[in-house]
Amino acid sequence: MKKSILTLCTALGTLVFLAAKSDADWERSNGPWSATVMDLLANESNLFAATRGGGVFLSTDNGSNWMPLDNGLTNPYVNSLVVSGTNLFAGTTTVYGGIGGGVFRSTDNGATWTLASSGLTNPSVNAFAVTGSSLFAGTDTLNGNGGVFLSTNNGDSWTRVSNGLPVDH
């Protein structure tokens, strides 16, 4: 009986210690401060943040400090990020008021961006996936113009590949 009580007390003490320890592991960083963070991407020692209204940010010190990466990124409403080979891609959304969305590509770790959306019928990009040399983009399906798109040439062109998926009308 004493052994069971001792085991129970030890287990409870361990749980209390672990719960207190996990609370102390989170620290507030210095940004990205301008908008809601939609996606995070770690690539080697770089941490990228996609924000809704603030663009893309980079941290090279595990999130202690952040700097904006917006040279050529004409749409700051970034939903998603992905790395494919040596390219970094940002998926943006169309915003009321005339800011167009689409895919932006960076070949220099986000220092500069170029639009890479040829063939996207809906430029509100919500998600990415990479398998081998194939890059997929998931877009809004408003009016049946979106879905899943495939690029096999680093975003130079996109083809819709979402036959069989449900589409909003």
Side-chain angles (χ1 to χ4, degrees):
M1 181 71 163
K2 287 183 181 180
K3 187 174 182 179
S4 296
I5 292 173
L6 180 61
T7 302
L8 179 61
C9 288
T10 302
L12 287 173
T14 302
L15 287 174
V16 168
F17 172 76
L18 289 175
K21 176 71 176 139
S22 66
D23 288 342
D25 288 343
W26 290 96
E27 294 179 22
R28 186 173 179 89
S29 71
N30 294 323
W33 55 88
S34 65
T36 301
V37 175
M38 300 299 289
D39 195 13
L40 292 170
L41 172 70
N43 186 31
E44 298 177 5
S45 62
N46 296 321
L47 180 61
F48 297 93
T51 68
R52 192 116 174 113
V56 177
F57 289 80
L58 167 66
S59 175
T60 58
D61 57 6
N62 290 319
S64 292
N65 296 288
W66 296 87
M67 64 181 185
L69 300 175
D70 58 5
N71 186 13
L73 188 64
T74 58
N75 185 332
Y77 294 87
V78 183
N79 291 330
S80 55
L81 297 167
V82 73
V83 169
S84 179
T86 59
N87 297 305
L88 174 63
F89 293 90
T92 65
T93 191
T94 302
V95 179
Y96 297 108
I99 298 175
V103 174
F104 288 82
R105 176 181 53 222
S106 176
T107 58
D108 53 11
N109 249 354
T112 59
W113 298 91
T114 56
L115 189 61
S117 295
S118 180
L120 288 179
T121 56
N122 188 322
S124 289
V125 179
N126 298 315
F128 285 115
V130 174
T131 179
S133 62
S134 296
L135 174 62
F136 295 89
T139 70
D140 283 354
T141 58
L142 186 63
N143 299 321
N145 290 327
V148 178
F149 290 82
L150 166 67
S151 177
T152 57
N153 55 11
N154 293 315
D156 287 337
S157 62
W158 296 88
T159 304
R160 190 167 186 241
V161 292
S162 52
N163 290 339
L165 288 176
V167 177
D168 292 338
H169 295 283

